[in-house]
Amino acid sequence: MDKRTLEARIRQLYAIDKNALDVYTDLVENSEDKSIKDRLSQIAEDEKRHIKLSERMLDLLKND
Amino acid sequence: MIKKANLEWLKLVEVFSYLIILPLIIFYLVSYKYFFILHKSYYFVVALFLIQASLSYMYSFSALARKRFKELPTAKHQDVPKTTFIVSAYLPNEISVIEDTLSNILEKIERPKAGIEVILAYNEPHMEPIELKLRELAYKWPELILANAYGSRSKSENLNYALDIASGEMIALFDADHLVSSDSLWRAWRWLDEGYDVVQGRCKIRNGSRSPISALVKVEFEAMYGISHDAKSKLFDSTLFGGSNGYWKASVIKKIRFDIDKLTEDIDSTLRALLAGFRIVHDRSIVSTELAPTTLSGLWFQRKRWAQGWFQCSFKYQLPVLKSKYLNIFQKFMWTTLLTWRVFYDLFSHFIFPIVFAFWWYKREIIFPMNSFIWFALIFTFFSGPFEAIVAFKNSVSPRAPVLRYLYYSVSTFFYTMFKNTIQVVAIRDELLHTREWVISARKK
């Protein structure tokens, strides 16, 4: 896979992760059950981590 | 509950009572004691028509030749950079057109060496009828990003969301029904390369044969983009971003962004950009086609939203425009004709009816108060529309609408203008009463 396609694919996933983070954040805010809220928060954190990793990857591809 | 259409009829009755019936009674009563007031008011309103027609002639004459690209010494001769297309869609309303719009960009656009990126910004989480197709399209074209702006309630929010993701140096903005021509990127970039910050291309209607309404709008758009915007750019070196087929330097649009409280977020962004010292140019050779409303109610709601948005901007930006250090006196004049003048004209031009009716009532007979000045004003005003249609025909690009459609526009232009003026007044009424509704234009192939 060439670099440009790789970057484009990561950007597609980045948008999906951003959307997922927004949805999970909203679910966390609106759920009342503490245990569910905690699990959702963990997933939201995981999404944040995905986003950060994608950003790092994009920076790497840009500077490469 | 009153139906939306019935409510609009009620608003029309209300507005007519303020603008026709009440002034008629006042003019009639006043004319009994001070007839000269009726007389002066008549000449005042006729003068308004003359000024408006003069503006129309000025733009029509100056648009006879188009603003051609002339390279300036400031040109850097850089290659077209990576460009992000942002397509904003209201799903499910625009489901039937979105696939064609995206495919047109992905398959037909002449790509710069640095590549393109296409972001579909939408706010509907469920798009079952085309979800699979869009995912297939995204799999086939890695450049396509499906960006669901979660929780967004407006086009502006969709756009702002997409701006955060966009990675191109030039950003091209489109509505969901636009089919842009393949050569648009290099045509737009040459203006940005030599120092402009935004380029507005020409929007053409492609469903003009669908109904008498869309036929009228087709010629109106030929006049709007082939004459009005083009002439403003040529005469005053200033024009507006119309929301679609606009190309921005990414750094500029990311700074300006879109105000989510404005009904015409494009005009609001235009004015904020101009007031911040950025420059906009119009190039009518950059063509994109779109779909016009096909019904009277569709047209009514679309234009009312535009009129209300313009009124919001008139209120907010007239003084800043006059005070701006970035606009010269001619540009300030131009923007005043678009902001305060249009509100003033739309409100006061209606007074021609109560004034003439009051005159008849006073005289107890139907006679037209004519003299050589009024005859001149009448002919001058009436011919401004047909003249505009002739220039629009001359400036139109292939595929041209049949001549008959231009004739139809010429004949209808007076009534169509009055119709639009009435919409403006209803929009002002809505804005003053804080009634803001966003009726989405239905888009069907």
Side-chain angles (χ1 to χ4, degrees):
Chain A
M1 186 183 285
D2 65 288
K3 229 171 68 178
R4 186 179 288 174
T5 311
L6 176 65
E7 187 193 333
R9 287 282 181 228
I10 291 170
R11 285 197 179 282
Q12 285 182 326
L13 294 167
Y14 178 73
I16 293 167
D17 282 338
K18 252 177 89 77
N19 176 244
L21 175 62
D22 290 341
V23 178
Y24 279 120
T25 307
D26 187 42
L27 291 175
V28 171
E29 279 169 17
N30 290 304
S31 61
E32 285 156 13
D33 186 303
K34 195 177 173 311
S35 62
I36 292 176
K37 206 179 179 95
D38 287 346
R39 293 279 164 88
L40 287 169
S41 294
Q42 280 174 13
I43 305 176
E45 284 304 315
D46 210 36
E47 288 299 343
K48 272 186 202 164
R49 200 169 58 85
H50 280 193
I51 289 171
K52 267 191 193 147
L53 285 172
S54 298
E55 282 170 349
R56 251 190 260 165
M57 187 70 178
L58 289 168
D59 279 345
L60 198 74
L61 287 169
K62 207 173 174 182
N63 298 325
D64 192 12
Chain B
M1 212 173 98
I2 305 173
K3 269 187 174 175
K4 206 164 256 176
N6 291 345
L7 193 64
E8 294 305 303
W9 281 110
L10 285 178
K11 286 179 192 172
L12 258 182
V13 172
E14 186 188 326
V15 161
F16 272 116
S17 64
Y18 296 150
L19 283 181
I20 311 284
I21 301 185
L22 193 65
L24 167 64
I25 294 167
I26 293 170
F27 276 120
Y28 174 71
L29 294 176
V30 168
S31 65
Y32 256 88
K33 205 151 187 200
Y34 308 102
F35 184 76
F36 74 94
I37 292 180
L38 191 66
H39 185 256
K40 299 266 183 228
S41 304
Y42 179 54
Y43 277 87
F44 173 73
V45 176
V46 170
L48 292 184
F49 281 110
L50 265 180
I51 295 170
Q52 185 65 18
S54 303
L55 286 172
S56 168
Y57 281 112
M58 179 175 78
Y59 290 140
S60 297
F61 273 115
S62 54
L64 281 167
R66 83 175 154 96
K67 180 169 179 147
R68 289 184 183 280
F69 176 74
K70 220 182 342 176
E71 198 172 275
L72 297 177
T74 48
K76 293 178 189 150
H77 302 287
Q78 287 173 335
D79 287 341
V80 181
K82 179 176 178 181
T83 301
T84 299
F85 285 84
I86 297 179
V87 179
S88 177
Y90 283 106
L91 299 174
N93 290 53
E94 297 176 319
I95 271 179
S96 66
V97 293
I98 194 66
E99 199 189 343
D100 287 351
T101 303
L102 296 173
S103 298
N104 176 65
I105 298 173
L106 291 162
E107 289 167 11
K108 295 189 181 154
I109 207 83
E110 290 170 18
R111 289 165 190 246
K113 276 187 212 149
I116 62 166
E117 171 181 78
V118 184
I119 301 177
L120 171 66
Y122 62 98
N123 53 342
E124 171 61 51
H126 308 292
M127 45 177 189
E128 284 87 359
I130 55 159
E131 192 159 15
L132 204 61
K133 275 187 182 172
L134 286 178
R135 295 206 187 286
E136 276 172 13
L137 211 59
Y139 187 73
K140 183 180 171 194
W141 300 96
E143 301 94 327
L144 174 60
I145 295 173
L146 304 178
N148 178 204
Y150 182 75
S152 158
R153 291 180 185 280
S154 66
K155 180 183 170 186
S156 300
E157 284 175 276
N158 287 359
L159 289 171
N160 288 338
Y161 186 83
L163 285 175
D164 291 336
I165 300 173
S167 66
E169 274 180 57
M170 176 161 71
I171 293 184
L173 298 166
F174 288 92
D175 284 340
D177 58 331
H178 271 252
L179 298 179
V180 63
S181 58
S182 58
D183 57 357
S184 64
L185 292 188
W186 68 264
R187 284 184 183 277
W189 176 248
R190 49 193 188 155
W191 295 102
L192 302 189
D193 178 61
E194 69 171 29
Y196 282 97
D197 300 291
V198 189
V199 187
Q200 173 60 52
R202 171 190 217 147
C203 300
K204 271 177 77 81
I205 298 298
R206 66 171 180 275
N207 63 337
S209 52
R210 279 285 293 275
S211 77
I213 298 293
S214 60
L216 202 60
V217 176
K218 183 176 175 73
V219 181
E220 183 196 17
F221 265 53
E222 294 293 354
M224 205 191 306
Y225 284 90
I227 298 175
S228 185
H229 296 340
D230 187 56
K232 286 182 182 81
S233 192
K234 205 183 308 165
L235 286 173
F236 303 106
D237 196 17
S238 185
T239 192
L240 51 89
F241 160 61
S244 235
N245 200 17
Y247 304 78
W248 290 69
K249 279 183 184 162
S251 57
V252 175
I253 187 62
K254 286 188 178 192
K255 206 176 286 172
I256 296 294
R257 298 174 72 84
F258 294 96
D259 185 337
I260 60 170
D261 292 326
K262 292 287 177 294
L263 284 168
T264 47
E265 75 297 328
D266 44 1
I267 306 305
D268 180 77
S269 294
T270 295
L271 283 153
R272 283 187 293 112
L274 292 172
L275 293 172
F278 298 117
R279 294 166 66 221
I280 308 177
V281 67
H282 179 82
D283 185 341
R284 73 184 196 213
S285 73
I286 305 169
V287 182
S288 175
T289 64
E290 63 176 295
L291 299 170
T294 51
T295 61
L296 194 63
S297 69
L299 183 70
W300 173 274
F301 285 112
Q302 182 196 56
R303 297 309 166 92
K304 200 178 74 165
R305 179 169 62 77
W306 291 3
Q308 197 170 342
W310 270 99
F311 182 64
Q312 289 175 334
C313 291
S314 302
F315 224 63
K316 189 174 173 189
Y317 293 112
Q318 180 61 73
L319 269 182
V321 160
L322 292 175
K323 287 181 187 167
S324 171
K325 61 179 179 181
Y326 296 112
L327 299 173
N328 64 36
I329 187 144
F330 301 107
Q331 290 167 333
K332 285 176 186 178
F333 164 77
M334 184 207 104
W335 277 102
T336 302
T337 64
L338 288 173
L339 297 172
T340 303
W341 167 258
R342 67 190 285 153
V343 176
F344 186 78
Y345 175 75
D346 291 334
L347 285 175
F348 285 93
S349 62
H350 281 88
F351 282 178
I352 194 72
F353 298 109
I355 288 169
V356 172
F357 295 159
F359 180 73
W360 292 347
W361 196 359
Y362 176 83
K363 292 278 183 191
R364 303 269 188 262
E365 61 177 327
I366 294 178
I367 48 164
F368 288 91
M370 304 299 284
N371 60 25
S372 52
F373 171 72
I374 301 294
W375 272 116
F376 165 73
L378 189 73
I379 293 167
F380 188 76
T381 305
F382 264 87
F383 274 91
S384 65
F387 181 65
E388 189 183 68
I390 291 167
V391 178
F393 179 72
K394 186 236 152 225
N395 287 353
S396 62
V397 286
S398 180
R400 267 185 173 158
V403 179
L404 265 179
R405 220 170 275 165
Y406 285 85
L407 276 174
Y408 165 57
Y409 178 79
S410 301
V411 173
S412 322
T413 187
F414 176 75
F415 304 100
Y416 188 43
T417 305
M418 291 312 286
F419 170 74
K420 286 191 289 184
N421 290 356
T422 306
I423 295 178
Q424 295 267 16
V425 179
V426 175
I428 291 171
R429 173 237 176 251
D430 278 0
E431 181 60 21
L432 294 176
L433 294 176
H434 302 290
T435 310
R436 287 175 191 167
E437 49 192 354
W438 189 299
V439 179
I440 299 159
S441 313
R443 315 267 191 207
K444 286 198 180 107
K445 267 203 262 189

